Amino acid sequence: MAAESPNSARKVVVHLRATGDAPILKQAKFKILGTDKFAKVIDFLRRQLHRDTLFVYVNSAFSPNPDELVIDLYDNFGFDGKLVVNYACSMAWG
Amino acid sequence: MEAPKYVWEGAIPLQIHLHESQVTTLPPPPPALILAPRIGYLPLLAPLIKPYFSSTLPPGVDTIWFDCNGLPLKWYIPTGVLFDLLCPEPERPWNITVHFRGYPGNVLIPCEGEDSVKWSFINSLKEAAYIMNGNCKNVMNMSQSDQLELWHSVMNGNLEAYQRVSSKLKLATVDDEYASLCLQKSQQSVIETDLPAQAKTGRVPVRLYVLSVSKDFDDLDEIPRVDSWEKISYINRPVEIRKEDKCFTLHDALKILLPELFLDESLMNVKLGGVDLEDAVRNSNEDVTSVKVVEDQGQNVCKQPEACRISSSAKIKLIRIQGIEPKLEIPFSWVANNLLNPDYFLHVCVCVKVAQ
């Protein structure tokens, strides 16, 4: 995803976890700029899994708005130094 | 009347113009005049708006979206918040343009009508529950009929129905500091011993929208029109109300939400050996290590360079919540208990003047 940048911009570690029958990614941990929107994570998953319909959640709890900043999500819901993002092909938590 | 009733009955008068590219009849149709609930969302007005324009629309599939002075409006932001943010000098009616074609997918996330808005609302509610309780089991475990009833109460602006269903969620409310301060004055020691232990602190979910302007202004109509969402910083950060001897005010909450604006206040307590702060920041070859440390802290806190500057001349010009401009001394617990949106988030609009 985002290439390493030399400046002091904060990066967030995102751990992508498959739910239900969603395919498991070979590489599941990524670093992303805190100033990026959650939409970037969603788009990345769509391209990697070649699927348009994806349900993406944080901590198996709720689906954040794609405009949310990754840094806010990490500050509010991250733990153990990462943000856990779950993805499913059908609605997992309605 | 209680404050939440005022909030739920609040509405924005809209004058909705059909975009010229979609007018196929002469004369063009007059604008639709609609009273939109503050706590509602613009796409939900589609059934009210369509009848006005359906006879003039070009053939094709309708996907409704709105703009204000060319700025596409984010549909998941409550109508009242959009108005507070984009209309500093509140114009009534608020003139906006409706489109049924040409959805700007590069600016707006997709919206497929009521279902999309409902999904966004329920997820916001879960997010708020997670912030307050550390999990959102209460929302997830809602029965289908309860969830539907809650959503319909929001769509219909029915506060009674909403309170009936939402009270089942047992979402932690914040201790009303004003009430307990009044109570303390009359019953000193009774409080400590007789009341069951209550959560002493509360985490309030906040969505903060910051409009930064570079020029100072006296009148609200001098605020430049927002032509891009880049001019607005959006911050999702909860405020933890701290129980101290003195009342936790809105000002205290803002210090938590926008610490970079208040850095100078804390600096005033730091002794710099007579060196003027502004000079110390300008002269980078001076070894004023305390200033450097603060600057570094500022770098970490600052995440959107255009919108945040560390400067003694940065100041809050305007703060609006549910269309009102509360005094900064107001107890934040009152704000948290009375001015929430139905998604249990407090939406706060702020206009900040920053240094160039």
Side-chain angles (χ1 to χ4, degrees), chain A residues 35 59 63 67-68 72 94, chain B residues 76 123 126 130 207 234 303:
Chain A
T35 48
N59 292 341
S63 279
D67 279 348
E68 290 284 340
D72 283 340
Chain B
Y76 53 82
N123 276 292
K126 285 184 186 171
Y130 198 106
R207 296 207 196 274
Y234 162 67
K303 53 184 185 195

Side-chain angles (χ1 to χ4, degrees), chain B residues 41-248:
Chain B
Y41 303 88
L42 288 175
L44 298 179
L45 302 174
L48 289 176
I49 299 171
K50 272 197 187 168
Y52 279 89
F53 303 122
S54 49
S55 53
T56 92
L57 284 177
V61 181
D62 300 335
T63 320
I64 201 171
W65 61 281
F66 300 82
D67 84 67
C68 172
N69 294 314
L71 177 78
L73 298 180
K74 295 192 171 184
W75 54 266
Y76 53 82
I77 298 180
T79 306
V81 179
L82 286 171
F83 180 67
D84 290 342
L85 188 60
L86 303 174
C87 241
E89 168 75 15
E91 75 173 34
R92 292 186 188 92
W94 187 26
N95 284 286
I96 60 176
T97 306
V98 69
H99 305 245
F100 290 91
R101 306 279 185 282
Y103 198 85
N106 54 336
V107 182
L108 299 180
I109 61 177
C111 177
E112 270 126 53
E114 190 198 310
D115 278 341
S116 298
V117 187
K118 179 180 169 213
W119 171 262
S120 171
F121 169 79
I122 295 289
N123 276 292
S124 272
L125 185 62
K126 285 184 186 171
E127 191 181 341
Y130 198 106
I131 289 172
M132 291 187 275
N133 293 347
N135 67 73
C136 58
K137 286 189 216 156
N138 49 5
V139 182
M140 288 212 272
N141 294 336
M142 270 177 99
S143 68
Q144 278 279 47
S145 60
D146 271 351
Q147 220 190 72
L148 215 58
E149 207 186 315
L150 188 74
W151 172 239
H152 285 154
S153 74
V154 175
M155 281 209 296
N156 302 328
N158 187 341
L159 178 59
E160 271 172 32
Y162 173 81
Q163 284 175 332
R164 198 169 52 234
V165 184
S166 64
S167 58
K168 292 191 205 174
L169 293 174
K170 298 207 186 334
L171 280 163
T173 51
V174 178
D175 282 345
D176 191 334
E177 278 193 89
Y178 179 66
S180 43
L181 276 172
C182 291
L183 212 55
Q184 258 176 17
K185 289 208 165 99
S186 49
Q187 307 171 294
Q188 281 296 340
S189 53
V190 179
I191 296 232
E192 263 37 89
T193 50
D194 289 355
L195 291 178
Q198 284 183 29
K200 282 298 170 192
T201 57
R203 274 163 63 103
V204 181
V206 176
R207 296 207 196 274
L208 181 68
Y209 309 85
V210 185
L211 173 62
S212 304
V213 295
S214 48
K215 259 175 61 180
D216 207 339
F217 58 86
D218 292 316
D219 287 317
L220 294 176
D221 55 9
E222 291 173 52
I223 299 178
R225 290 203 183 283
V226 181
D227 55 6
S228 157
W229 287 102
E230 310 277 305
K231 303 250 170 79
I232 294 179
S233 307
Y234 162 67
I235 300 165
N236 180 349
R237 191 179 286 171
V239 174
E240 179 123 23
I241 296 185
R242 293 183 205 134
K243 285 279 177 174
E244 285 152 14
D245 289 327
K246 58 180 177 61
C247 191
F248 189 86

